Structure formats: C-alpha cells, structure tokens
C-alpha cells in the first residue's frame, strides 16, 4: 500500500515529465517526432503558433511506479492532427536499437540509458579454468592521474548480448572499433581498451557530433533556424546559377563584363546576358532578378561583378589545388617555362608542369603567369624556385626542364637550366624539339642568297595582292582551287611558311596570269604596273620555280614533323626517331635534283638558268700544280652545287647537331625497347648504368629481376614488331601490372614526365592575348591568372562541384567570429 507522499511524488514526476515532453515537442515541431520510448503519453495536437500542447494519458499513471515506467518497454507516440499512427519506438537495450534520424536526435537531446545498474550476469566471459570475468560498474568511469573520476556517459551495457557499446560511435558508424558494432566483452583488458577508445580521434569526433546536434535540437529559436535554412537554400540556389554561368564563360575564354552593369541593357556584357537568358526559362531566377536586379549598391543580390570576380578566384584556386594534388600524388614532374609580352608590353612568364597521370598518360598543366620576371637567368631561376616553393612542391622530385634555346635559358654555365641543375642534378635539360626544328629551317634559309630571296619574294607577292581588294579579286578569279589562297609568311611559325609555299606552288599559273594582266592593264597606275612587272620577272626565272618545288617538299615534311613534336603524348625517344627520319629523307633528297628540275621546267616561263657575270678570281698557282685553267661550271651545276646542295647539307648538319642533345638523355633508357634481343649480361650492364643515375629512385637487384621477368611479356606489348617506352607504360597501367614491375614503372614515369617541348607554354600565350586584350588592359594579375587557368584547364573547370565552390564562397564571406 502506497502512502500519500508516494502519490504526491508520483504526480510531481508526471507533471515534470509532461513539461519536459512539451519542451521537446516544441523544439522539434518542424519534424513532428519525439524520440523516447519510456511513457504512455500521446500527443494529440501541436500548435506551431503557440506553445500550447494537448496531452492525453492513455493509462492512469497514479498507480504506476515512476522508476518502472521510465525503465520499461512502454512507448511514447507523437501524432499530428491527421494521423494516429505510431511514429517510432526506442528500446533501451543496444541489441534492439535502430539507427534512425529520430533516434539519433533523441539521444543527442536526452542521452542514453547506460543500464549500469544491471546485475551483469549475462556478461560472463571465461578465459580459462577458474578465470571468469564480468562487466562491472567501474568500467563506466574513467580515473584520472590525480584520482578524480569522470563518468563515461557514452558507454552502454546490453543485457541481451552481455557486451558494452559506445553510443556515439554506434550512432555515427565509426567502423574503427568493435564498440560501435559487435560490442566489447574482453573484461580482462577492458580498462586499457576503453581508455584507448575514448582517446581516439574517431570517438571524439562522433561524441562532438552528438553534442553539437543536441545543442541544436535544444535551441529555443528552432523556428528561426527553419527560416535561416530556408534563406540559405534560397541564396544557394542563386549561387548555383551564378557559378554555372561563370564556369561556362571562363572555360571558353569569353569576356564577362560590358559597358554597363544593368539588367535589360544591350551593353551589359556576356555575364548578365546569360543570366537574363536563363531567367526566361527559369522562374526562380526570373523572380530573383525582378526583385533584386538593378538594386542600389549595398544590396545583397549575388549577381554583381564583385561577387563574380570573387567566385572566379575561388574556382581558379580549386583548379590549381586539383593540379597540385595530382602532381604530388605522382611524385615526379618536370618544369616548362616561356615568356611573352602582354598587351601592356609587360613580360609574362608562363609556368607549367608535366607529369604522368594515375592512368599512365603524360599530362601538362598550366599554373600561372608570372609578371615582370626579367630576362637574366638569375632572375628567372629565382622566380622558378620561389614558385615551386609556393606550390609546396619538392624540387628534388623534379626530373626535367624544357625551354627554348636562348642563351639565358640553355646556357651550360650560367643559363637557367644550369642554375636549376646545380640545385638538383637529376633535372635534365632538353631543348624544345619543335623550337629546335624551326631553327633548323631558319639556318638552312640563311645559308644561301637564293633561299633568302625566295621567301622574301613569297611575302612580297602576298602583300601585293592582299593590299588591294581589286587585285585580290583578280587573283581569285584566275584560281582553280579557291581554298588555296595565298598565305602570309611568318618568321616564327614554320607551318605558315609551309602553307604560303604550298599555296604559291598550287596557284603558280594563276599568279603569273594575274601579274601579266595587271602589268599590261593601262588602267592601272604606273607604280602598280611596275611592281607587277618586277614580281613577274622574278617568278619567271627557272631558279624561282625550282626553289618553289624544293621548299614545298621540304617544308611539308618539316611541318608534318613539327606538328608531331607539339603533341603532349610525345617523349624523347619519339623525338629521336622523328629527327632520324628527317635526316634519312634529306640524304635521299640530295640525289633527286633532276626530279625537282623537271617539275620546275613545267612551271617556269624562262627555261634557262641565269648566266652569272661575276668575274672569275685569279688564284696563285703553286709549283706542284699544272698551269691548266679552272673549269667553268655550267649555270645548272653552279645552281645545284652552290644553292641546292648547301640547303640540304645545312638541314642535315643542324638536325644531327640538335639530335645529339636528345640522344644523351635517351641512351640509358633505350635498352628497355630492346630487351628481347639482349642477353642477361647486357641487361645487367644496362640496368646498372641506369640505376647509377637514379640511385635513390630504384633498387638495383629488384630492377634486374623485373627486367628479366618483363622479357616474357615483350610480345604482348609489341607494336608493329617493336615497342616504345610510352606503349610499354600504357601496357603496364592497362593490365594493372604496376605492382609486379614497380621499379620499371618508376623509370618509365621518370622518362615520360620529362618534357621535350615547351609548346604547351607557347599555346598559353593565345589565351593570354584573349583574356588580357586592349579592352581589359587594366585587369589585375590575380584575375588574369584566374581566367587563364580556368580557360586553359577547362576540363578540370567543368568538373568542379557546385556545392564545394559555394561552401568555400560562404566561408570566405562569413562575418562570424569563431570563438
């Protein structure tokens, strides 16, 4: 029989319980769920506009022991106006727990029942005969060195399983501990293991998550949080559309701003124009622009040029971060730099890196333009080293450098390559193969007057016709192939010389006919007629016709090779093979003068060579020579000996000289392309030579064993009877054999990541001229670099996550002070 005091205590507890329930429901009114399982109270209605809460008791609580009610299996239900269904049930034993959002929120607000008053009979664990251990209450406390005890409120005992669990780790799926999944019952080592667990980072992270969630659920301004979250989603939706427009424009290198920053104006630029276009099909954006567009300064609309510039910088930082992470993960890289003036005549140094991707593909990435570096090797070297340090890269992992052949870059004593090599001797310098090939052609042209005069004639013919629309129309009317119009001659791009020479060769008759017509046309002024007559006289000669035929053939081969050299997927061994093919071609061409002459005779107006009138020099006759006169060469042989052959010999000499630089680097690696023909002794010698260069990169004995093993796979990687190093590397990655041949993969990665051209740096100059043109000459360096990297590395730009960009933007714009 219960006393009056017991009844009063019970009623007080029920009232207190009801008040707690009201507060919990109001804190979670937006989700309409109560997260407990220890009462028979049913919520009938929740008024979101007032704190009133209607509660109905399903049973009479006056005759029930409160302690039994709180520890039993009774359920608490939460309902709205239109439903009477049970929402959730929350057992106290971890064996019966279900990981749901409602249960996690309940545990965050109210904690968990540790069941530490259990008798722990089910926790019996027998280690050996007579050695039986049980769970005990001391395990629910952590003892500090000073003797104080701290309650382990996160530890929960399961009566059904006889084990203990970590509630936060179980709720947030901490896979690193048995306390989160199967439970723990090694009572012999319990104190030690529990101490290790509560000191682990994963446990602390889960515990902090639970506490933060509990603080959020207990807040009295839950409705305000709903409003804040709604505002956040609204502005996130706006920023998603803004980021999409910026990604589209930046990845294509298009300008952003116009003359005005006003919605509806035809001069507001591409950025606002695209937002207006999207708003025609997007009601959300249309409503936002109508509400906030053209607002006064200081209004938050996130459509202004300032916000646009900030997002551009954030996106560029993310792209650069992706590139740097890729480089670091692949360890080895090489540097490529080249400089050019921008629209303001300020020098810009393009900085690029080449590395091998995780798929075994050589990759070249642009990072930034560096302004006002200077032209001395010391200034450039200091800038390059400082840039590498700022990117958090290790200079000791650099394995190559490729620049043009200017003295300040290629000098063997004080050039940039020498200064970098003093820091890291393994940073081999390889001259730009494409630039070297251009110099080969330039030196061949300069070796004789006829070649230099011919290219000047081509440019004069183009200028004569292109400077007048009337003359250009006359030429086009006489042309059979309208697509083969005359081209200008460039001093740096030899592909343009090939196009100019080819177009002149194909339209030879049309050009002669047009010049003849202009020369005889009395309606033309005398200056034009005299220019046409002079060009006609030069084109009529047999020598000019031969030069046209010869250079059309040579330039087409040089241009074809140059295009191959500009490919990113080229390595040093490919350069050697291309140079060797040109050398063999020139050797064969040297004997084909008669064929060129026959083709030129069909084009030339005058069929005879020009007779030279140069007075023959008298030479002293020595005592052992006869007094016979020197043989006078015919004009044909004179042209062949002093013009045709010197051009070819100069080409061959220059190619052989420049080939030597690539051969030095390739020679230690070439045995990998010939392992099928090499015996074990030759393989060992070659491996030893290569390992002596890269002592800290590969292990000698393992390297030999891998090469010997690789011989069995040579037939699988053959391409046309032979294989190159790039195909070998591709084979290892495609077949997932890098773990079998790790040292060979390292050597191949070093070889492939070594840059052989700086063409990618030169291609970035085109982007520079588009981004920083005469309309944007005052653009800041940061914005110019941001737009350049977003455009050049557009593949990465298009893959950027909207959420990550917006989160970074929100973090940078946050005005809250972290305490």
């Amino acid at each position: 029989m219960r006393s009056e005091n017991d009844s009063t205590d019970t009623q007080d507890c029920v009232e207190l319980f009801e008040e707690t329930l009201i507060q919990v429901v109001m804190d979670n009114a937006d989700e309409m769920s109560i997260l407990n399982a220890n009462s028979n109270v049913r919520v009938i209605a929740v008024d979101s506009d007032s704190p009133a809460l209607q509660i109905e008791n399903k049973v009479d609580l006056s005759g029930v022991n409160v302690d039994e009610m709180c520890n039993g299996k009774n359920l608490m239900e939460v309902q709205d106006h239109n439903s009477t269904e049970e929402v959730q049930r929350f057992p106290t034993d971890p064996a019966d727990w279900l990981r749901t959002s409602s249960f996690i929120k309940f545990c965050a607000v109210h904690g968990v029942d540790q069941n530490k008053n259990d008798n722990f009979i089910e926790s019996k664990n027998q280690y050996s005969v007579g050695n039986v251990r049980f769970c005990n209450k001391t395990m629910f406390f952590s003892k500090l060195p000073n003797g104080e005890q701290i309650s382990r409120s996160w530890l929960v005992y399961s009566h059904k399983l006889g084990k203990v669990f970590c509630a936060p780790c179980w709720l947030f799926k901490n896979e690193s501990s048995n306390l989160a999944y199967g439970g723990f019952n090694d009572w012999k080592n319990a104190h030690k293991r529990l101490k290790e667990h509560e000191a682990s980072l994963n446990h602390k992270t889960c515990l902090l998550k639970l506490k933060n969630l509990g603080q959020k659920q207990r807040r009295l301004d839950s409705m305000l949080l709903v409003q804040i979250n709604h505002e956040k989603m609204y502005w996130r939706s706006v920023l998603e559309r803004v980021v999409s427009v910026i990604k589209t424009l930046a990845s294509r290198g298009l300008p952003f701003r116009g003359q005005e920053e006003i919605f509806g104006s035809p001069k507001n630029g591409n950025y606002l124009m695209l937002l207006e276009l999207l708003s025609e099909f997007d009601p959300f954006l249309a409503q936002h622009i109508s509400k906030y567009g053209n607002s006064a300064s200081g209004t938050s609309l996130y459509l202004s040029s300032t916000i646009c510039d900030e997002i551009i910088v954030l996106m560029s930082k993310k792209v650069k971060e992706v590139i740097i992470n890729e480089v670091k993960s692949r360890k080895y890289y090489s540097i490529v730099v080249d400089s050019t003036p921008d629209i303001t005549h300020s020098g810009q140094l393009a900085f690029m890196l080449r590395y091998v991707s995780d798929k075994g593909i050589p990759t070249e990435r642009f990072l930034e333009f560096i302004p006002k570096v200077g032209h001395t090797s010391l200034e450039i070297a200091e800038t390059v080293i400082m840039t590498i340090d700022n990117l958090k890269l290790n200079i000791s992992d650099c394995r190559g450098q490729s620049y043009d052949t200017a003295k300040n870059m290629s000098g063997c004593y004080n050039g940039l390559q020498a200064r970098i090599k003093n820091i890291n001797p393994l940073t081999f310098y390889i001259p730009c193969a494409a630039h070297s090939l251009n110099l080969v052609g330039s030196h061949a042209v300069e070796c004789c007057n006829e070649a230099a005069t011919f290219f000047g004639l081509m440019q004069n013919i183009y200028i004569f016709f292109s400077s007048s629309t009337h003359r250009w129309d006359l030429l086009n009317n006489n042309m059979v192939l309208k697509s083969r119009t005359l081209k200008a001659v460039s001093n740096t791009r030899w592909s343009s010389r090939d196009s100019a020479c080819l177009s002149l060769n194909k339209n030879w008759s049309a050009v002669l006919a047009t010049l003849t017509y202009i020369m005889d046309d009395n309606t033309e002024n005398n200056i034009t007629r005299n220019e046409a007559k002079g060009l006609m006289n030069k084109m009529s000669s047999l020598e000019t016709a031969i030069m046209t035929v010869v250079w059309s053939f040579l330039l087409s081969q040089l241009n074809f090779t140059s295009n191959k050299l500009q490919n990113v997927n080229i390595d040093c061994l490919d350069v050697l093979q291309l140079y060797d093919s040109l050398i063999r071609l020139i050797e064969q061409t040297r004997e084909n003068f008669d064929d060129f002459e026959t083709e030129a005779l069909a084009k030339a107006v005058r069929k005879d060579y020009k007779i030279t009138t140069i007075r023959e020099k008298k030479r002293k006759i020595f005592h052992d020579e006869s007094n016979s006169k020197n043989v006078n060469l015919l004009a044909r042989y004179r042209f062949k000996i002093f013009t045709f052959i010197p051009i070819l010999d100069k080409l061959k000499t220059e190619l052989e000289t420049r080939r030597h630089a690539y051969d030095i680097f390739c020679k230690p690696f070439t045995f990998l392309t010939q392992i099928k023909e090499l015996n074990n002794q030759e393989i060992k010698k070659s491996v030893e030579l290569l390992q002596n260069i890269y002592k800290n990169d590969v292990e000698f004995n393992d390297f030999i064993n891998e090469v010997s093993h690789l011989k069995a796979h040579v037939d699988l990687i053959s391409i046309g009877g032979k294989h190159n190093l790039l195909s070998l590397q591709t084979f290892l990655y495609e077949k997932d054999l890098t773990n079998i041949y790790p040292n060979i993969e390292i050597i191949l990665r070093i070889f492939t990541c070594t840059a052989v051209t700086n063409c990618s740096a030169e291609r970035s100059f085109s982007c520079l001229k588009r981004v920083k043109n005469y309309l944007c000459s005052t653009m800041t360096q940061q914005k110019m670099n941001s737009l350049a990297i977003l455009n050049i590395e557009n593949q990465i730009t298009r893959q950027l996550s909207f959420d990550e960009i917006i989160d970074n933007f929100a973090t940078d714009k946050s005005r809250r002070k972290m305490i």
Side-chain angles (χ1 to χ4, degrees), residues 116 137-143 149-152 191:
K116 60 184 178 180
K137 289 186 178 181
T138 61
M139 298 178 186
F140 292 85
F141 297 91
S142 175
K143 190 173 182 179
Q149 287 186 337
I150 298 178
S151 175
R152 292 182 172 134
H191 289 286

Side-chain angles (χ1 to χ4, degrees), residues 393-656:
L393 295 175
N394 195 345
I395 188 65
S396 62
D397 293 333
C398 185
R399 289 295 179 269
Q401 47 183 332
S402 182
Y403 326 116
D404 56 31
T405 56
K407 290 299 181 182
N408 62 336
M409 309 294 280
S410 63
C412 59
Y413 298 110
N414 294 317
L416 172 61
Q417 64 97 3
R419 295 181 184 276
I420 299 295
K421 220 170 182 183
N422 289 336
I423 301 175
N424 180 10
L426 294 179
T427 310
F428 289 95
Y429 166 66
I430 299 182
C432 176
H435 186 264
S436 295
L437 189 61
N438 282 351
L439 293 178
V440 167
S442 298
H443 292 167
V445 170
E446 296 171 357
C447 72
C448 63
N449 291 331
E450 285 289 348
T453 303
F454 169 71
F455 284 101
L457 175 62
M458 276 201 309
Q459 183 67 7
N460 290 335
I461 292 174
Y462 173 79
I463 293 174
F464 176 76
F465 285 104
S466 63
S467 60
S468 169
T469 56
H470 169 65
R471 295 194 290 268
W472 191 261
D473 291 338
L474 290 176
L475 176 63
N476 286 336
N477 293 334
N478 290 327
M479 288 173 56
V480 178
L481 297 175
K482 303 296 183 181
S483 60
R484 289 290 185 182
T485 58
L486 295 181
K487 307 292 183 181
V489 177
S490 172
N491 292 327
T492 56
R493 294 174 62 92
W494 273 80
S495 59
S496 69
R497 297 198 176 197
D498 174 44
S499 300
C501 192
L502 181 62
S503 62
L504 180 62
N505 190 28
K506 296 294 183 181
N507 298 302
W508 186 268
S509 300
V511 174
L512 286 177
T514 307
L515 288 175
T516 303
Y517 176 81
I518 296 174
M519 182 177 61
D520 297 335
D521 188 2
N522 294 327
T523 60
E524 297 285 349
N525 59 57
N526 292 331
I527 296 178
T528 302
R529 293 172 63 187
N530 286 332
E531 288 181 1
K533 183 178 180 179
L535 295 175
M536 179 66 184
N537 289 334
K538 293 179 180 179
M539 282 192 65
S540 300
S541 66
L542 179 59
E543 290 84 353
T544 302
I546 294 176
M547 284 286 95
T548 303
V549 175
V550 170
W551 279 111
S552 294
F553 174 76
L554 293 176
L555 288 176
S556 64
Q557 301 305 314
L558 289 173
N559 187 42
F560 175 79
T561 305
S562 179
N563 291 335
K564 288 286 186 181
L565 293 174
Q566 295 175 35
N567 195 336
V568 175
N569 295 328
I570 195 171
D571 57 37
C572 196
L573 195 58
D574 294 331
V575 174
L576 272 179
Q577 294 172 353
L578 290 172
Y579 270 56
D580 288 339
S581 65
L582 283 178
I583 292 173
R584 289 193 298 270
L585 176 68
I586 291 171
E587 289 174 348
Q588 297 171 3
T589 305
R590 199 172 187 274
E591 307 300 328
N592 297 336
F593 178 76
D594 294 343
D595 296 335
F596 292 124
E597 185 183 42
T598 302
E599 185 178 351
L601 285 171
K603 293 177 174 292
V605 177
R606 295 193 296 268
K607 308 298 183 181
D608 298 327
Y609 290 91
K610 182 174 60 176
I611 300 176
T612 59
T613 58
I614 301 175
R615 185 172 64 87
E616 190 175 317
K617 292 183 179 180
K618 292 183 179 181
R619 187 174 63 86
K620 180 181 178 181
I621 306 298
F622 292 93
H623 67 279
D624 58 344
E625 293 182 323
S626 62
N627 198 17
S628 60
K629 294 184 178 179
N630 293 332
V631 178
N632 292 324
L633 296 176
L634 295 176
R636 176 179 183 273
Y637 294 106
R638 182 180 293 275
F639 179 82
K640 179 181 178 180
I641 294 173
F642 294 107
T643 301
F644 177 74
I645 292 180
I647 291 175
L648 296 179
D649 288 347
K650 188 65 174 178
L651 284 173
K652 180 183 176 182
T653 303
E654 289 291 330
L655 285 171
E656 290 176 341

Side-chain angles (χ1 to χ4, degrees), residues 179-228:
L179 285 162
Y181 282 91
F184 180 83
N185 65 345
D186 185 11
W187 314 122
K188 185 177 180 180
N189 303 303
H191 289 286
K192 179 180 178 181
R193 295 289 179 261
L194 292 175
K195 194 171 187 66
E196 291 175 354
H197 177 78
E198 66 185 354
S200 66
L201 179 61
N202 290 334
H203 168 76
K204 292 181 178 179
T205 302
C206 295
L207 189 59
L208 185 60
K209 284 182 181 179
L210 195 64
K211 289 186 177 296
N212 291 338
L213 181 60
Q215 292 177 1
K216 179 180 179 182
Q217 294 299 317
R218 293 190 188 98
R219 294 183 63 172
L220 298 178
D221 55 347
S222 58
M223 297 305 296
L224 180 60
L225 284 177
V226 173
Q227 182 179 357
I228 292 175

